[in-house]
Amino acid sequence: MSRHEASPTTVQPASNHRPNACCFCWCCCCSCSWNEDRERAWRASRETKLETIPNCEACTKPTAEEVRGWAQSFDKLMKSPAGRNVFREFLRTEYSEENMLFWLACEELKSECNKHTIDEKARIIYEDYISILSPKEVSLDSRVREVINRKMQEPSSHTFDDAQLQIYTLMHRDSYPRFLNSAIYKSLLQSVSRSSSES
């Protein structure tokens, strides 16, 4: 190939703009090409060993009452699978989705009883979200890191409880107010309100 020929492997810059506005992907579950492309790019750029955590939690479409309830309290939002999906979609736009992924991984770990599985999942969570070498490292203070480092000698299903609470508090104080003012939340609220008034 001559120096002047274009390389066939030239990569187009990724765009955050949705090329296929087929729907408002309120829970990133629809099968439009935008979702497929985004998922491929996401997997390539942020490969995680926690394959048990899906790209998106399975859930039913939220009601208008449920969506309005998310503005009343962060707890209501986080207790709702659909709420977590929408909030996670928002966090992705702020490049802080790892906070939700870490929180979900901790929730999954707490439901484990098998010692071998707990050890393995704790190690993966540590490597993916606590290690300073990880691109998905979450923001924790030194005291919590020290506690985790001690607990990792004999991991349990509650090894990351302090860290999980700190990330929950961070999302609540920092991201949640912006989420309520975001186009993602307002569009969904408008969409479900319109649907409920038509039915």
Side-chain angles (χ1 to χ4, degrees):
M1 179 158 66
S2 77
R3 284 182 318 186
H4 304 293
E5 286 181 72
S7 167
T9 56
T10 302
V11 178
Q12 294 297 319
S15 168
N16 289 333
H17 201 67
R18 297 182 183 199
N20 181 0
C22 65
C23 60
F24 179 70
C25 301
W26 63 270
C27 76
C28 47
C29 287
C30 88
S31 59
C32 69
S33 63
W34 178 75
N35 273 297
E36 291 163 5
D37 294 343
R38 182 189 58 182
E39 185 172 344
R40 268 195 298 276
W42 178 253
R43 285 181 193 276
S45 67
R46 289 190 160 200
E47 210 166 53
T48 178
K49 293 175 188 170
L50 279 170
E51 292 166 5
T52 48
I53 293 184
N55 191 41
C56 177
E57 291 180 83
C59 60
T60 56
K61 189 166 182 175
T63 64
E65 184 182 349
E66 188 179 359
V67 175
R68 279 192 289 269
W70 299 341
Q72 294 167 8
S73 87
F74 185 61
D75 288 341
K76 281 188 180 178
L77 174 72
M78 290 295 282
K79 283 176 181 166
S80 160
R84 290 193 297 269
N85 284 337
V86 180
F87 187 52
R88 182 172 160 186
E89 182 78 6
F90 169 74
L91 292 175
R92 185 176 288 143
T93 69
E94 294 204 327
Y95 304 100
S96 59
E97 185 186 18
E98 64 275 0
N99 290 332
M100 179 64 83
L101 292 173
F102 171 68
W103 189 87
L104 288 168
C106 293
E107 285 297 288
E108 186 174 294
L109 179 66
K110 285 195 281 195
S111 69
E112 281 297 338
C113 299
N114 181 286
K115 180 73 173 86
H116 176 73
T117 307
I118 288 170
D119 288 352
E120 178 66 10
K121 286 190 176 181
R123 184 184 59 76
I124 292 169
I125 290 171
Y126 187 90
E127 288 175 6
D128 279 355
Y129 303 106
I130 310 300
S131 170
I132 57 171
L133 301 174
S134 172
K136 295 182 289 186
E137 178 194 4
V138 293
S139 180
L140 299 169
D141 65 36
S142 57
R143 180 194 65 81
V144 169
R145 285 182 178 280
E146 284 171 22
V147 169
I148 290 171
N149 287 335
R150 279 200 308 272
K151 289 182 174 178
M152 281 302 291
Q153 293 168 17
E154 193 63 43
S156 77
S157 57
H158 295 280
T159 293
F160 302 101
D161 283 3
D162 289 347
Q164 187 186 21
L165 178 60
Q166 195 165 91
I167 293 304
Y168 186 90
T169 304
L170 176 71
M171 290 191 292
H172 185 189
R173 290 182 182 162
D174 188 50
S175 305
Y176 176 61
R178 288 196 300 276
F179 166 72
L180 295 179
N181 288 311
S182 71
I184 287 176
Y185 177 68
K186 287 178 177 176
S187 297
L188 176 60
L189 185 57
Q190 194 174 31
S191 168
V192 293
S193 297
R194 191 164 51 240
S195 296
S196 69
S197 64
E198 286 169 2
S199 56

